[in-house]
Amino acid sequence: MASNQMVRMNQGQGETSYARNSSIQNAQQNRMKPLIEAAIVDFCSSINTGSLFPRKMLIADLGCSSGPNALALVSIALEAIHNHCLQFQQTPPEVCLLLNDLPENDFNTVVKNLVTLRQSNKPLVMIGVAPGSFYERLFTSGSLHLVCSSSSLQWLSKAPEHLTRNQIPAYDIDEHTRRERLPIVLEAYAQQFRKDFTLFLKLRAKELVSGGRMVLSLIGRPSYIIDSEFFHLWEIVAQILSVMASEVRSFFFFLAQHFIIC
């Protein structure tokens, strides 16, 4: 998730599409399964009065993207509700699933994948899409029972203003300059994340029902990893991209010479 001007994930089902190249994200979603199941059980138990299940539940995935991953989290929640109702012999609630991402997301692919979910014998009533940034209000007040988000909240609403205002790149190809500016860059992004995450929590607090639950995962690193070790990977990537760019320039220079001679 990022600002509305950011590029989207590759659309479709082709070899280079996000749908065919998102196994790491899928693994992260699978690790969230016990957390989502526990959130469902905990929520239903906390509001359970007179051994009655809630009559309706609204579940949202924020930053769903496209492809099979778009339905992974809500499918886990739906299965958890189904199993909980069977265990306690309760009437299943009416469930509404809402999938959110930026407007340029490939929702066409998402909608096609919804057919399979519709055919399942789960307590599903309605599925909808909610295009827009999750750094803005998306849903009505007091409407959400469960909010899920996986590998999305590390995307900021915008680049840190301090860096853009002073034209400081997030990653400078010059090693000396990069290391000199590293503390400034890290602090700028940390401040932007704190600002965005605080806003995210305030917005969801308005949209969640009393006692509603959120299960969130985002990419990070253990604090004991030294910054220099963490950034070594990006140095390798930068070198590879630099070589690729050089080869592309050489290729086009060759083409230009060829066409001039012809």
Side-chain angles (χ1 to χ4, degrees):
M1 183 69 69
S3 68
N4 293 335
Q5 287 74 42
M6 293 296 289
V7 295
R8 51 167 169 73
M9 301 296 185
N10 282 350
Q11 297 179 331
Q13 297 284 344
E15 288 296 325
T16 61
S17 67
Y18 174 83
R20 298 282 294 275
N21 296 275
S22 53
S23 58
I24 295 177
Q25 293 88 335
N26 180 255
Q28 178 66 23
Q29 289 175 324
N30 291 335
R31 286 192 287 270
M32 294 175 66
K33 182 177 180 180
L35 300 176
I36 294 175
E37 292 172 341
I40 291 292
V41 172
D42 188 48
F43 172 76
C44 293
S45 300
S46 67
I47 64 171
N48 196 349
T49 57
S51 19
L52 293 176
F53 223 64
R55 296 179 58 187
K56 62 180 181 178
M57 294 186 70
L58 195 155
I59 299 170
D61 180 359
L62 306 186
C64 68
S65 196
S66 61
N69 288 354
L71 304 180
L73 299 184
V74 293
S75 296
I76 291 172
L78 201 60
E79 182 71 23
I81 294 171
H82 177 70
N83 292 338
H84 198 69
C85 289
L86 288 178
Q87 180 181 355
F88 293 96
Q89 298 182 339
Q90 299 289 348
T91 302
E94 295 181 346
V95 179
C96 174
L97 305 179
L98 294 175
L99 305 174
N100 156 261
D101 213 304
L102 292 175
E104 293 301 315
N105 183 56
D106 186 6
F107 283 111
N108 287 331
T109 301
V110 173
V111 171
K112 291 177 182 178
N113 291 332
L114 292 177
V115 176
T116 303
L117 192 59
R118 274 285 190 186
Q119 294 172 346
S120 64
N121 297 319
K122 302 299 186 299
L124 179 61
V125 174
M126 187 181 76
I127 306 175
V129 296
S133 170
F134 50 47
Y135 294 120
E136 301 171 354
R137 280 292 301 273
L138 292 168
F139 310 103
T140 56
S141 300
S143 60
L144 300 179
H145 296 82
L146 175 67
V147 172
C148 300
S149 182
S150 177
S151 302
S152 297
L153 279 167
Q154 72 273 6
W155 293 102
L156 305 180
S157 64
K158 60 182 179 180
E161 292 182 358
H162 176 70
L163 300 185
T164 55
R165 183 171 59 250
N166 295 284
Q167 297 183 332
I168 300 175
Y171 187 92
D172 199 301
I173 196 65
D174 179 74
E175 182 178 356
H176 176 74
T177 303
R178 180 174 67 252
R179 293 186 179 277
E180 189 177 65
R181 290 176 172 174
L182 181 57
I184 298 175
V185 172
L186 291 178
E187 180 58 27
Y189 273 92
Q191 288 183 4
Q192 186 63 47
F193 176 78
R194 285 192 290 267
K195 180 179 179 181
D196 284 341
F197 192 58
T198 299
L199 175 60
F200 176 88
L201 295 177
K202 288 181 178 179
L203 295 173
R204 304 294 84 79
K206 294 179 180 179
E207 297 169 347
L208 282 165
V209 301
S210 176
R213 301 294 192 270
M214 287 201 301
V215 181
L216 313 174
S217 76
L218 59 158
I219 297 173
R221 64 175 177 85
S223 58
Y224 57 80
I225 295 180
I226 302 174
D227 288 342
S228 60
E229 295 178 357
F230 179 70
F231 279 91
H232 179 64
L233 172 63
W234 298 113
E235 292 177 1
I236 296 174
V237 173
Q239 292 172 5
I240 294 173
L241 292 176
S242 178
V243 172
M244 291 174 60
S246 177
E247 291 179 352
V248 169
R249 285 194 298 268
S250 298
F251 174 72
F252 280 107
F253 179 72
F254 168 78
L255 288 181
Q257 286 185 319
H258 177 73
F259 283 116
I260 290 174
I261 294 174
C262 290

